[in-house]
């Protein structure tokens, strides 16, 4: 039913996820990257190796963009986009909200994607024009059409203390209007939770392609909408994201840009 590429996303997300689960139940090394709270554990690196080693065997001619090892550019129309552990701070603190995210981009379009939380054993996956699924169940976004009664999720960048792009003001403004907002710590899961109607909308800024690529396809295939803050088509060039069940999209854009 699915392409070999989608099956590869699923197989490798599960394989990397098994490694993360072993790590989660053990002790491991934690280091800082861009700042004291921007962490990388030895399991970020192990999970990424599991994925990239296998991709190099399966599709040696493809390009790979992976968070910890960067871009391996083979000038191919196919590019794998990998976040081996999305939610590292949660993982490092033994909070079971994290995921493996693997997507395949063909030319300018994400065509396959998988996000896996190995602790809850929730496997989200999608293929372009074939729908999105959670452990075999078809996903469909919520029917909420009033932003005032919506349930939202967001996130903050590691340098939030420098307050890039007014993200704190935006957060305070939305919460002050009485709208419930959560901050879970894995952008990939945030997008999947909108796809599964747990949330009605999501916004964040200063994200990287690997945070969003698989989740964007999963949400769009579930009937959701994904744009940048200015409402333009999401093409991963800008770092902002507004994602919703489609119905509240315009209202969420207005709210975030207030
Ligand atoms: C982070 C998570 C988090 C988001 C951060 C990301 P990482 O990714 O997706 O939810 O708020 O901006 O950097 O570092 O855990 O892979
Ligand atoms: Ca990430
Ligand atoms: Ca990561």
């Amino acid at each position: 039913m699915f392409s070999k590429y989608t099956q590869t996303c699923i197989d490798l997300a599960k394989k990397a996820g098994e490694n993360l689960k072993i790590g989660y139940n053990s002790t491991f090394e934690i280091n800082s990257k861009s700042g004291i709270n921007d962490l990388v554990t030895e399991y970020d690196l192990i999970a990424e190796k599991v994925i990239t080693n296998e991709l190099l065997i399966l599709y040696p001619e493809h390009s790979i963009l992976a968070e910890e090892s960067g871009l391996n550019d083979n000038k191919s129309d196919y590019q794998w986009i990998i976040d081996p552990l999305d939610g590292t701070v949660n993982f490092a603190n033994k909070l079971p909200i994290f995921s493996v995210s693997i997507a395949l981009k063909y030319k300018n379009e994400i065509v396959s994607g998988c996000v896996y939380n190995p602790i809850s054993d929730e496997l989200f996956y999608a293929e372009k024009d074939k729908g999105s699924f959670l452990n075999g169940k078809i996903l469909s976004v919520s029917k909420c059409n009033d932003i005032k009664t919506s349930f939202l999720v967001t996130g903050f960048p590691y340098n939030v203390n420098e307050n890039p792009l007014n993200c704190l003001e935006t957060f305070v403004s939305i919460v002050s209007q009485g709208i419930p907002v959560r901050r879970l710590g894995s952008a990939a899961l945030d997008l999947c939770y909108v796809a599964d109607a747990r949330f009605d909308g999501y916004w964040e800024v200063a994200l990287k392609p690997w945070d969003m690529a698989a989740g964007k396809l999963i949400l769009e295939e579930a009937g959701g909408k994904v744009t940048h803050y200015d409402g333009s088509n999401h093409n991963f060039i800008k770092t902002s994201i507004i994602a919703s069940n489609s119905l509240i999209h315009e209202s969420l854009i207005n709210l975030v840009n207030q």
Side-chain angles (χ1 to χ4, degrees), residues 7-153:
Q7 198 53 53
T8 298
C9 286
I10 293 170
D11 293 345
L12 294 185
K14 278 188 174 168
K15 199 168 169 186
E18 280 161 24
N19 281 272
L20 292 183
K21 193 171 175 182
I22 292 167
Y24 185 75
N25 292 313
S26 69
T27 50
F28 47 81
E29 198 179 306
I30 306 173
N31 290 300
S32 295
K33 294 202 286 186
S34 66
I36 47 167
N37 291 315
D38 181 6
L39 307 179
V40 59
T41 72
E42 61 182 287
Y43 279 92
D44 293 76
L45 305 173
I46 290 170
E48 185 161 304
K49 269 267 164 272
V50 164
I51 299 164
T52 54
N53 283 351
E54 191 107 355
L55 287 177
L56 288 169
I57 294 168
L58 289 172
Y59 312 110
E61 68 286 4
H62 289 184
S63 296
I64 298 176
L65 174 64
E67 179 175 11
E68 307 305 336
S69 51
L71 178 64
N72 176 1
D73 190 357
N74 278 338
K75 308 280 179 230
S76 167
D77 284 338
Y78 289 93
Q79 185 185 72
W80 295 87
I81 305 177
I82 297 151
D83 192 334
L85 171 43
D86 186 53
T88 297
V89 174
N90 287 347
F91 179 90
N93 288 284
K94 308 268 176 185
L95 187 67
I97 305 173
F98 58 85
S99 58
V100 182
S101 173
I102 304 177
L104 177 65
K105 187 168 78 169
Y106 175 68
K107 295 190 171 167
N108 284 321
E109 194 169 64
I110 306 296
V111 292
S112 299
C114 181
V115 174
Y116 181 49
N117 177 339
I119 306 303
S120 63
D121 197 23
E122 290 181 303
L123 184 81
F124 299 88
Y125 49 97
E127 183 171 311
K128 182 78 189 151
D129 298 328
K130 291 207 174 154
S132 57
F133 302 83
L134 164 56
N135 294 345
K137 175 192 88 170
I138 294 175
L139 290 176
S140 186
V141 291
S142 75
K143 297 192 168 33
C144 171
N145 60 8
D146 183 354
I147 193 90
K148 290 199 271 323
T149 61
S150 66
F151 186 40
L152 304 178
V153 63

